[in-house]
Coordinates of all heavy atoms in Angstrom, one line a residue:
G3 N 1.4 5.2 0.9 CA 0.9 6.1 1.9 C 0.0 7.2 1.2 O 0.2 7.6 0.1
R4 N -1.0 7.6 2.0 CA -1.9 8.6 1.4 C -2.1 9.7 2.5 O -3.2 9.9 3.0 CB -3.2 8.0 1.0 CG -3.1 7.1 -0.3 CD -4.4 6.6 -0.8 NE -4.2 6.2 -2.2 CZ -3.7 5.1 -2.5 NH1 -3.2 4.3 -1.6 NH2 -3.6 4.8 -3.8
N5 N -1.0 10.3 2.9 CA -1.1 11.3 3.9 C -1.4 12.7 3.2 O -0.5 13.3 2.7 CB 0.2 11.4 4.7 CG 0.0 12.3 5.8 OD1 -0.6 13.3 5.7 ND2 0.7 12.0 6.9
T6 N -2.6 13.1 3.3 CA -3.1 14.2 2.5 C -2.3 15.5 3.0 O -1.9 16.3 2.2 CB -4.6 14.5 2.7 OG1 -5.2 13.3 2.4 CG2 -5.1 15.5 1.7
A7 N -2.1 15.6 4.3 CA -1.5 16.8 4.8 C -0.1 17.0 4.2 O 0.4 18.0 3.9 CB -1.4 16.8 6.3
C8 N 0.6 15.8 4.0 CA 1.9 15.9 3.4 C 1.8 16.3 1.9 O 2.6 17.1 1.4 CB 2.6 14.5 3.5 SG 3.1 14.1 5.2
V9 N 0.8 15.8 1.3 CA 0.6 16.1 -0.1 C 0.4 17.6 -0.3 O 0.9 18.2 -1.2 CB -0.5 15.3 -0.7 CG1 -0.7 15.7 -2.2 CG2 -0.3 13.8 -0.6
V10 N -0.4 18.1 0.6 CA -0.7 19.6 0.5 C 0.6 20.4 0.8 O 0.7 21.5 0.3 CB -1.8 20.0 1.5 CG1 -2.2 21.4 1.4 CG2 -3.0 19.1 1.2
G11 N 1.4 19.9 1.7 CA 2.6 20.6 2.1 C 2.3 21.7 3.1 O 3.0 22.7 3.3
L12 N 1.2 21.5 3.8 CA 0.9 22.4 4.9 C 1.4 21.9 6.2 O 1.5 20.7 6.4 CB -0.6 22.6 5.0 CG -1.3 23.2 3.8 CD1 -2.8 23.3 4.0 CD2 -0.7 24.6 3.5
L13 N 1.8 22.8 7.1 CA 2.3 22.3 8.4 C 1.3 21.7 9.3 O 1.6 20.8 10.0 CB 3.1 23.5 9.1 CG 4.3 24.0 8.3 CD1 4.8 25.2 9.0 CD2 5.3 22.9 8.2
L14 N 0.1 22.3 9.3 CA -0.8 21.9 10.3 C -2.1 21.5 9.6 O -2.5 22.1 8.6 CB -1.1 23.0 11.3 CG 0.0 23.5 12.1 CD1 -0.4 24.8 12.8 CD2 0.4 22.4 13.1
A15 N -2.8 20.5 10.2 CA -4.1 20.3 9.8 C -5.0 21.2 10.6 O -5.0 21.2 11.8 CB -4.5 18.8 10.0
V16 N -5.6 22.2 10.0 CA -6.2 23.3 10.7 C -7.5 23.0 11.4 O -7.8 23.4 12.5 CB -6.3 24.5 9.8 CG1 -7.0 25.7 10.5 CG2 -5.0 24.9 9.3
T17 N -8.3 22.3 10.7 CA -9.7 22.3 11.1 C -10.2 20.9 11.5 O -9.7 19.9 11.1 CB -10.6 22.7 9.9 OG1 -10.5 21.8 8.8 CG2 -10.3 24.1 9.5
G18 N -11.2 20.9 12.3 CA -12.0 19.7 12.6 C -13.1 19.7 11.5 O -14.1 20.4 11.6
C19 N -12.8 18.9 10.5 CA -13.6 19.1 9.3 C -14.9 18.3 9.2 O -15.6 18.4 8.3 CB -12.7 18.8 8.1 SG -11.3 19.9 8.1
T20 N -15.1 17.5 10.2 CA -16.3 16.7 10.2 C -17.3 17.2 11.2 O -18.1 16.5 11.8 CB -16.0 15.2 10.5 OG1 -15.3 15.1 11.7 CG2 -15.2 14.6 9.3
A21 N -17.2 18.5 11.5 CA -18.1 19.1 12.5 C -19.5 18.9 12.1 O -19.9 18.9 11.0 CB -17.8 20.6 12.7
T22 N -20.3 18.8 13.1 CA -21.8 18.7 12.9 C -22.5 19.9 13.4 O -21.9 20.8 14.0 CB -22.4 17.4 13.6 OG1 -22.3 17.7 15.0 CG2 -21.6 16.2 13.3
A23 N -23.8 19.9 13.2 CA -24.5 21.1 13.6 C -24.6 21.2 15.1 O -25.0 22.2 15.7 CB -26.0 21.0 13.0
N24 N -24.2 20.2 15.8 CA -24.2 20.2 17.3 C -23.0 21.0 17.8 O -23.0 21.3 19.0 CB -24.2 18.8 17.9 CG -25.5 18.1 17.5 OD1 -26.6 18.8 17.4 ND2 -25.4 16.8 17.3
D25 N -22.0 21.2 17.0 CA -20.8 21.9 17.5 C -21.2 23.4 17.7 O -21.9 24.0 16.8 CB -19.7 21.9 16.5 CG -19.2 20.4 16.3 OD1 -19.1 19.7 17.4 OD2 -19.0 20.0 15.2
T26 N -20.8 24.0 18.8 CA -21.4 25.3 19.1 C -20.3 26.3 19.5 O -20.6 27.3 20.2 CB -22.4 25.2 20.3 OG1 -21.7 24.6 21.4 CG2 -23.6 24.4 19.9
T27 N -19.1 26.1 19.0 CA -18.1 27.1 19.2 C -18.6 28.5 18.7 O -19.1 28.6 17.6 CB -16.8 26.7 18.5 OG1 -16.5 25.4 18.8 CG2 -15.6 27.6 18.8
T28 N -18.4 29.5 19.5 CA -18.9 30.8 19.2 C -17.9 31.7 18.5 O -18.3 32.6 17.8 CB -19.5 31.5 20.4 OG1 -18.6 31.5 21.4 CG2 -20.8 30.8 20.9
T29 N -16.6 31.5 18.8 CA -15.6 32.3 18.2 C -14.6 31.5 17.4 O -14.3 30.4 17.9 CB -14.9 33.2 19.2 OG1 -14.3 32.4 20.2 CG2 -15.8 34.2 19.8
V30 N -14.1 32.0 16.4 CA -13.2 31.2 15.5 C -11.9 32.0 15.4 O -11.9 33.1 14.8 CB -13.8 30.9 14.2 CG1 -12.8 30.2 13.3 CG2 -15.1 30.1 14.3
P31 N -10.8 31.5 16.0 CA -9.6 32.2 15.8 C -9.2 32.2 14.3 O -9.5 31.3 13.6 CB -8.6 31.4 16.6 CG -9.4 30.5 17.4 CD -10.7 30.3 16.7
T32 N -8.6 33.3 13.9 CA -8.2 33.4 12.5 C -6.9 32.6 12.2 O -6.6 32.3 11.1 CB -8.0 34.8 12.0 OG1 -7.2 35.5 12.9 CG2 -9.4 35.5 11.9
T33 N -6.1 32.5 13.3 CA -5.0 31.5 13.2 C -5.2 30.5 14.3 O -5.6 30.9 15.4 CB -3.6 32.2 13.4 OG1 -3.6 32.8 14.7 CG2 -3.4 33.3 12.4
S34 N -5.0 29.3 14.0 CA -5.4 28.3 15.0 C -4.7 27.0 14.8 O -4.1 26.8 13.8 CB -6.9 28.1 15.0 OG -7.2 27.3 14.0
T35 N -4.9 26.2 15.7 CA -4.5 24.8 15.5 C -5.8 24.0 15.1 O -6.0 23.8 14.0 CB -3.9 24.2 16.8 OG1 -4.8 24.5 17.9 CG2 -2.6 24.9 17.1
T36 N -6.5 23.5 16.1 CA -7.7 22.8 15.8 C -9.0 23.5 16.1 O -9.2 24.0 17.2 CB -7.7 21.4 16.5 OG1 -6.5 20.7 16.2 CG2 -8.9 20.6 16.2
T37 N -9.8 23.8 15.1 CA -11.0 24.6 15.2 C -12.2 23.8 14.8 O -12.2 23.2 13.8 CB -10.8 25.9 14.4 OG1 -9.6 26.5 14.8 CG2 -12.0 26.8 14.6
V38 N -13.2 23.9 15.6 CA -14.5 23.4 15.2 C -15.5 24.5 15.3 O -15.6 25.2 16.3 CB -14.9 22.2 16.1 CG1 -16.3 21.7 15.7 CG2 -13.8 21.1 16.0
A39 N -16.3 24.6 14.3 CA -17.2 25.7 14.3 C -18.5 25.4 13.5 O -18.5 24.4 12.7 CB -16.6 27.0 13.6
T40 N -19.5 26.1 13.7 CA -20.7 26.0 12.9 C -20.5 26.9 11.7 O -19.8 27.8 11.7 CB -22.0 26.3 13.6 OG1 -21.9 27.7 14.0 CG2 -22.2 25.5 14.8
T41 N -21.3 26.6 10.7 CA -21.3 27.4 9.5 C -21.6 28.9 9.8 O -21.0 29.8 9.4 CB -22.4 26.9 8.5 OG1 -22.1 25.5 8.2 CG2 -22.4 27.7 7.2
E42 N -22.5 29.1 10.8 CA -23.0 30.4 11.1 C -21.9 31.2 11.8 O -21.8 32.4 11.6 CB -24.2 30.4 12.1 CG -25.5 29.8 11.4 CD -25.4 28.3 11.2 OE1 -24.7 27.6 11.9 OE2 -26.1 27.8 10.3
T43 N -21.0 30.6 12.5 CA -20.0 31.4 13.2 C -18.8 31.6 12.5 O -17.9 32.3 12.9 CB -19.7 30.6 14.6 OG1 -19.1 29.4 14.2 CG2 -20.9 30.5 15.5
L44 N -18.6 31.0 11.3 CA -17.4 31.1 10.6 C -17.4 32.3 9.7 O -17.9 32.3 8.6 CB -17.2 29.8 9.7 CG -15.8 29.4 9.4 CD1 -15.0 29.2 10.6 CD2 -15.9 28.1 8.6
S45 N -16.8 33.4 10.2 CA -16.7 34.6 9.3 C -15.5 35.4 9.8 O -15.0 35.3 10.9 CB -18.0 35.4 9.4 OG -18.1 35.9 10.7
A46 N -15.0 36.2 8.9 CA -13.8 37.0 9.2 C -14.0 38.4 8.5 O -14.6 38.5 7.4 CB -12.5 36.3 8.8
G47 N -13.3 39.4 9.0 CA -13.2 40.7 8.3 C -14.6 41.4 8.2 O -15.5 41.1 9.0
D48 N -14.7 42.4 7.3 CA -15.8 43.2 7.2 C -16.9 42.7 6.2 O -18.0 43.2 6.1 CB -15.4 44.6 6.7 CG -14.5 45.3 7.7 OD1 -14.6 44.9 8.9 OD2 -13.6 46.1 7.3
G49 N -16.5 41.7 5.5 CA -17.4 41.2 4.4 C -18.5 40.4 5.0 O -18.7 40.2 6.2
T50 N -19.3 39.8 4.1 CA -20.4 39.0 4.5 C -20.2 37.5 4.0 O -19.4 37.3 3.1 CB -21.8 39.5 3.9 OG1 -21.6 39.6 2.5 CG2 -22.1 40.8 4.5

Side-chain angles (χ1 to χ4, degrees):
R4 286 186 164 78
N5 185 327
T6 311
C8 293
V9 178
V10 182
L12 298 178
L13 294 174
L14 295 170
V16 178
T17 60
C19 299
T20 53
T22 69
N24 294 326
D25 297 315
T26 54
T27 308
T28 51
T29 54
V30 178
T32 52
T33 61
S34 79
T35 51
T36 300
T37 301
V38 177
T40 61
T41 302
E42 291 73 25
T43 59
L44 204 57
S45 64
D48 299 330
T50 53

